[in-house]
Amino acid sequence: ELNKRYGIPYIVAVRDTDLNVFFKRMVHLRGLGNRILKGASKVVFLSHPYKEAVLDYYVSKSDRKQISDKAIVVPNGIDGFWLKNIYYDRNTKVTEEIRVIFVGRICKRKNPLATAKACERLIGDGVPIRFTIVGSIDDWNLFTRIKQYSFVEHLGVKNKEELLHIYRDSHIFIMPSLSETFGLVYAEALTQGLPVIYTKGQGFDGHFNEGEVGYSVRSDSSDDIANRILLAVKNYDELVNRCVRLCKKFDWKHITNRYIQIYDEDLCRGR
């Protein structure tokens, strides 16, 4: 409204609520949302899948190119605790049982059962593996199914100091969520040298090239997850080194400077 009345330029950031509440459920507000996007100097998205979802499903074809040309992706940052405690001393060889870890609520959306089934397949093929779950239980029926696997260990909710040591005792972070907004836990895991396995086309996908710090998977395919676990072990040395080097992408200081740069360039030019 200030832009229309006084010509003051503005930048808009599209967050989870904008996509999954306003655009998705409040159909009567989509027109206003599109006008906001069209009038902005820049449109900032948390992730590439967020950007694609808004452009593909909620922006009219006639406006798509105009909004796409000024759209940029800037991720969320993580708690400084993790960046102060980057784990540079990880053993870059997996010479014992593979220890995979999931951190999050036990619910259908986070999809830990798919990882348990992937581990079961690998054990059936003679690959020793252990699956550690950290987080609260939202779905007790799902938890009961997961706990039937003898290789699963549930540690409950842990604070970040406790979680730090659990990460360091693990080899690979896995969370093949059915849907994911951004997923701060992936970035936290990177600081501890853990290659990550994440869902193709969801929040974390696109922040790195495939195979750079981990691999994307189809959330509905335990075979795909199992194969990616083996691929991560095969390329473990390179993945670990890139994880601890590239995790600084999620430092709030860098992200803040990026926002300042965006505002300086676009808003000053707009005036």
Side-chain angles (χ1 to χ4, degrees):
E1 292 300 317
L2 290 171
N3 172 261
K4 287 194 297 184
R5 184 172 299 183
Y6 302 111
I8 299 173
Y10 67 92
I11 286 169
V12 64
V14 180
R15 316 294 286 187
D16 177 56
T17 305
D18 302 311
L19 175 60
N20 291 312
V21 177
F22 293 114
F23 273 120
K24 186 175 183 178
R25 299 179 184 176
M26 299 186 178
V27 180
H28 62 290
L29 292 178
R30 287 182 188 171
L32 173 60
N34 272 271
R35 291 195 296 275
I36 291 171
L37 296 178
K38 285 176 65 177
S41 298
K42 275 283 189 293
V43 181
V44 181
F45 292 92
L46 277 180
S47 66
H48 295 276
Y50 261 39
K51 172 185 169 183
E52 292 166 6
V54 170
L55 293 174
D56 290 347
Y57 297 111
Y58 302 116
V59 171
S60 63
K61 289 184 179 180
S62 59
D63 296 330
R64 198 166 292 163
K65 186 179 186 307
Q66 177 189 350
I67 295 173
S68 178
D69 286 346
K70 57 187 177 183
I72 56 176
V73 174
V74 181
N76 273 336
I78 56 177
D79 191 310
F81 169 84
W82 298 105
L83 294 165
K84 290 177 183 176
N85 291 281
I86 295 175
Y87 190 36
Y88 293 103
D89 298 325
R90 175 173 293 282
N91 188 339
T92 55
K93 301 293 180 184
V94 180
T95 58
E96 50 197 275
E97 68 176 359
I98 305 169
R99 298 190 296 273
V100 300
I101 182 170
F102 163 95
V103 178
R105 298 192 310 276
I106 299 177
C107 61
K108 289 181 180 178
R109 185 173 70 84
K110 296 293 185 179
N111 199 27
L113 182 59
T115 300
K117 290 180 177 179
C119 293
E120 181 184 38
R121 199 208 88 174
L122 290 173
I123 289 173
D125 291 339
V127 178
I129 196 164
R130 181 173 49 147
F131 182 26
T132 299
I133 297 175
V134 177
S136 60
I137 304 169
D138 285 9
D139 187 328
W140 281 93
N141 289 329
L142 177 62
F143 178 68
T144 299
R145 293 178 66 188
I146 294 171
K147 281 297 290 180
Q148 291 177 350
Y149 297 103
S150 60
F151 54 82
V152 172
E153 180 182 21
H154 177 237
L155 301 181
V157 177
K158 299 294 180 181
N159 60 42
K160 58 180 181 287
E161 289 80 9
E162 294 170 317
L163 183 56
L164 179 78
H165 297 290
I166 299 169
Y167 275 144
R168 292 183 177 184
D169 192 43
S170 304
H171 292 126
I172 302 168
F173 179 90
I174 306 180
M175 191 167 72
S177 302
L178 301 180
S179 64
E180 193 67 59
T181 55
F182 172 68
L184 288 174
V185 284
Y186 300 108
E188 292 173 359
L190 293 184
T191 68
Q192 301 309 301
L194 287 176
V196 292
I197 293 177
Y198 48 92
T199 305
K200 187 175 182 62
Q202 290 300 319
F204 194 76
D205 191 17
H207 283 297
F208 299 96
N209 295 326
E210 181 74 10
E212 193 169 20
V213 297
Y215 302 99
S216 64
V217 294
R218 301 193 313 276
S219 61
D220 62 347
S221 174
S222 56
D223 285 342
D224 195 20
I225 296 169
N227 291 335
R228 292 305 195 183
I229 291 173
L230 294 178
L231 187 59
V233 171
K234 178 182 178 182
N235 299 318
Y236 201 69
D237 186 7
E238 295 177 358
L239 289 170
V240 167
N241 288 321
R242 284 195 290 262
C243 287
V244 296
R245 178 165 50 87
L246 299 176
C247 66
K248 295 173 184 177
K249 172 179 183 176
F250 303 104
D251 187 336
W252 272 117
K253 293 178 182 178
H254 298 320
I255 295 169
T256 301
N257 289 335
R258 178 69 177 124
Y259 271 103
I260 291 171
Q261 180 186 29
I262 293 166
Y263 274 81
D264 285 345
E265 290 177 355
D266 289 274
L267 297 191
C268 290
R269 184 169 59 232
R271 293 189 177 205

